[in-house]
Structure formats: C-alpha cells, structure tokens
Amino acid sequence: QVQLVESGGGLVQAGGSLRLSCAASGRTLSNYAMGWFRQAPGKEREFVARITWSDGSTYYEDSVKGRFSISRDNAKNTVYLQMNSLKPEDTAIYYCTARRLTSISYDYWGQGTQVTVSS
C-alpha cells in the first residue's frame, strides 16, 4: 500500500502561483510513477502531469505545458506540482496518484486538495 497526502491548495488570483505537495509513505517508490490529476465541477477527472520516480522523466497534459512543473524530493518522499500563470480554468480538486511501472492504471490516490483561481 502507498499512502498519499496532498497539501498546498488554496485560492489565488489569475496569473498567480501555487505549489502542491504530495507526501508518500508505505512503499519504496523506485518502481513507481507519480502523477497529478484534477477534477473540475461537472467534469471528468483529467490527467495533469506525471513523473517517473527512478529517473525523473516527466510528461504533461498540453494545456499545462510551460506553466506547471512536476518534481520529486527523494529524501522527503514527496512529489511537487509547481503551478504558475494560473488561469480560472485551472480551478479543480487536484489529486496525487501513484502507479507501479508495470501497471497501466493508477493504483493509489490521495484525498485531493482544492485549487481555486479567481479572475
């Protein structure tokens, strides 16, 4: 089991920045990919970004490329999502997630953290 706890959400004006954190525990993450998803009101959950723990390779959804950055801290077992140039359409609940590299689906989810961007 992997336990994931997000923090760092809040209310910010358009153009502002926030950094989300996801503290992981329970397993060694060297064989995992960590990701962020988000779900806006009335919409389906969508992929935002992911990072492969072992080599730090990253991948982003097109709408956040150049604005969001995912990173990890090995010593703290924590994944971060730095969000810059925020837009009202980024408003959503953001979820941290993890999957084994051998799995095609994300196996573990955090409880989510609310991000609200005002115009």
Side-chain angles (χ1 to χ4, degrees):
Q1 290 286 342
V2 176
Q3 291 80 43
L4 303 170
V5 179
E6 303 101 332
S7 61
L11 173 65
V12 64
Q13 288 188 333
S17 298
L18 280 175
R19 188 178 79 158
L20 305 183
S21 300
C22 173
S25 61
R27 292 287 177 120
T28 301
L29 299 175
S30 57
N31 295 320
Y32 282 78
M34 306 291 293
W36 288 94
F37 281 68
R38 65 186 180 185
Q39 187 167 19
K43 295 187 177 181
E44 293 188 354
R45 191 173 296 187
E46 65 174 3
F47 169 81
V48 176
R50 69 113 172 98
I51 185 167
T52 301
W53 195 271
S54 57
D55 64 7
S57 59
T58 58
Y59 184 79
Y60 297 91
E61 192 270 331
D62 285 345
S63 69
V64 308
K65 284 180 181 177
R67 300 189 299 122
F68 291 11
S69 177
I70 188 170
S71 61
R72 85 250 194 262
D73 184 323
N74 288 332
K76 296 182 178 179
N77 246 28
T78 298
V79 174
Y80 302 99
L81 185 68
Q82 177 66 44
M83 304 185 295
N84 300 325
S85 301
L86 282 161
K87 305 175 181 180
E89 52 263 43
D90 294 318
T91 294
I93 300 175
Y94 283 70
Y95 297 91
C96 178
T97 184
R99 66 171 175 86
R100 299 175 185 85
L101 294 179
T102 54
S103 175
I104 60 173
S105 63
Y106 284 89
D107 307 303
Y108 305 101
W109 294 82
Q111 81 286 355
T113 185
Q114 177 70 48
V115 171
T116 303
V117 185
S118 63
S119 57

